[in-house]
Amino acid sequence: MRLRTLILLTALALAGCATSAPPPAAPPAARQAPETFTRQITVSGHYLLYLPKNYDRQQEPWPLLLFLHGAGERGDDLELVKKHGPPKLIEAGRDFPFVVVSPQAPAEQWWSVPFLDALLQEVTATYRVDTDRIYVTGLSMGGFGTWDLAMAFPDRFAAIAPVCGGGNAYAVCVIKHLPTWNFHGAKDAVVPLARSQEMVDALQRCSGDVRFTIYPDAGHDAWTETYDNPALYEWLLAHRRQPRQE
C-alpha cells in the first residue's frame, strides 16, 4: 500500500512538472515589412512663351523648341532669360517657326528634370504643339540640362542641340537614335571641351546619330554663333521623333 501511494505521488509530481514547463518560443517578428505610400507633388515655375506670328491663323500643330539658359540667368526675373539664345533673338524682333518655351531655374538651383517634364506636359496640353517635333537646346548649365532631359525621356524628342555642356557618358547610348548636334568652344575655361567630347565619343562608339561643331577660337561663349546660325533651326526642323531601336 505504501509503495502504491509513493508511485501515485511520484506520477502526480511529474505531471505537475510537465504542465509548468514554458511554451516553445515564438519566431522573432520581422524587422522590416513592406509598405506603400502615395503623395501628390506640386511643381511650379515661370517661363517665357513665344507663339509664331501665324499661330492664330494656322490650326495645324506647331513644332516646339525648349530653350534652357545657363547658370547666370537663374532667379525670379524673366528678363535675365532674354540675355542669350532664342529669347534674345525674339526680343530683337526675329521670328521663329516654333512655339518657343524658355523657363527659368530658381536661384542657386540646377535644372530639374521633373520640373521640365511638368512644364512640357502643361504647354503641350494648352497649346497646339506637334508632339513628334519637340526639340531641346541649352547653353552651359542648360547644355547639361539638355543631355539630362533627353536621357531621362529618350523617346520624347525629335532632336537636341546641347551647347558647351556635358553629362553622363556611361548612360548616353540610351539616346543613340536621337539626332544630336553638339557645340563647344575649344578654349572654354569654364566647361572644358572634354565634357562635350566624352559625350560625343560615347555616342559614336554605340553608332549614335551625332555631329559635333568645335569653334577653334571660342571660349565659353559657344552659344552666340550657334544660335545666330539659321542652319541650326533648319536642322532641327528636318527631324521628327523616331521610335527607339534596341
Side-chain angles (χ1 to χ4, degrees):
M1 181 71 179
R2 188 175 295 174
L3 178 60
R4 185 179 300 171
T5 301
L6 181 61
I7 293 171
L8 179 61
L9 291 173
T10 303
L12 290 172
L14 290 173
C17 291
T19 57
S20 64
R31 297 180 63 187
Q32 300 184 79
E35 300 289 349
T36 302
F37 84 97
T38 301
R39 175 175 293 183
Q40 183 175 354
I41 299 175
T42 300
V43 178
S44 64
H46 50 288
Y47 62 98
L48 295 172
L49 175 71
Y50 167 81
L51 298 177
K53 62 181 180 180
N54 293 325
Y55 179 85
D56 290 331
R57 294 195 296 269
Q58 178 180 314
Q59 295 306 306
E60 296 298 318
W62 289 82
L64 182 148
L65 178 63
L66 176 66
F67 168 72
L68 307 181
H69 63 69
E73 292 76 64
R74 293 176 291 183
D76 56 6
D77 180 4
L78 281 171
E79 290 299 312
L80 294 173
V81 181
K82 300 176 183 178
K83 287 177 63 176
H84 305 297
K88 175 184 178 181
L89 298 173
I90 291 168
E91 199 68 7
R94 183 163 175 176
D95 294 321
F96 282 98
F98 309 89
V99 172
V100 182
V101 176
S102 305
Q104 186 174 39
E108 305 304 321
Q109 292 189 28
W110 201 254
W111 282 114
S112 162
V113 167
F115 165 69
L116 295 174
D117 171 40
L119 173 62
L120 285 173
Q121 291 187 49
E122 172 73 14
V123 173
T124 55
T126 305
Y127 300 94
R128 293 193 304 277
V129 171
D130 185 345
T131 55
D132 286 328
R133 302 177 77 191
I134 298 178
Y135 313 100
V136 188
T137 186
L139 61 92
S140 194
M141 185 183 86
F144 284 87
T146 299
W147 287 111
D148 288 346
L149 183 62
M151 288 188 285
F153 297 96
D155 299 314
R156 191 176 203 163
F157 305 109
I160 63 172
V163 183
C164 57
N168 182 1
Y170 294 102
V172 76
C173 285
V174 73
I175 59 168
K176 64 181 182 180
H177 65 291
L178 180 62
T180 300
W181 192 354
N182 193 53
F183 302 84
H184 215 115
K187 299 178 180 179
D188 193 334
V190 178
V191 179
L193 174 63
R195 296 305 306 271
S196 280
Q197 189 69 62
E198 65 182 2
M199 300 297 284
V200 171
D201 290 346
L203 276 174
Q204 289 176 338
R205 285 194 294 270
C206 57
S207 302
D209 185 356
V210 60
R211 59 192 298 183
F212 191 16
T213 295
I214 301 173
Y215 302 114
D217 298 320
H220 191 46
D221 181 4
W223 52 82
T224 298
E225 187 169 354
T226 296
Y227 293 122
D228 282 348
N229 186 359
L232 169 64
Y233 309 104
E234 294 168 3
W235 177 84
L236 290 171
L237 289 169
H239 295 95
R240 301 182 68 87
R241 179 169 55 169
Q242 298 295 324
R244 184 168 24 149
Q245 297 180 352
E246 301 297 339

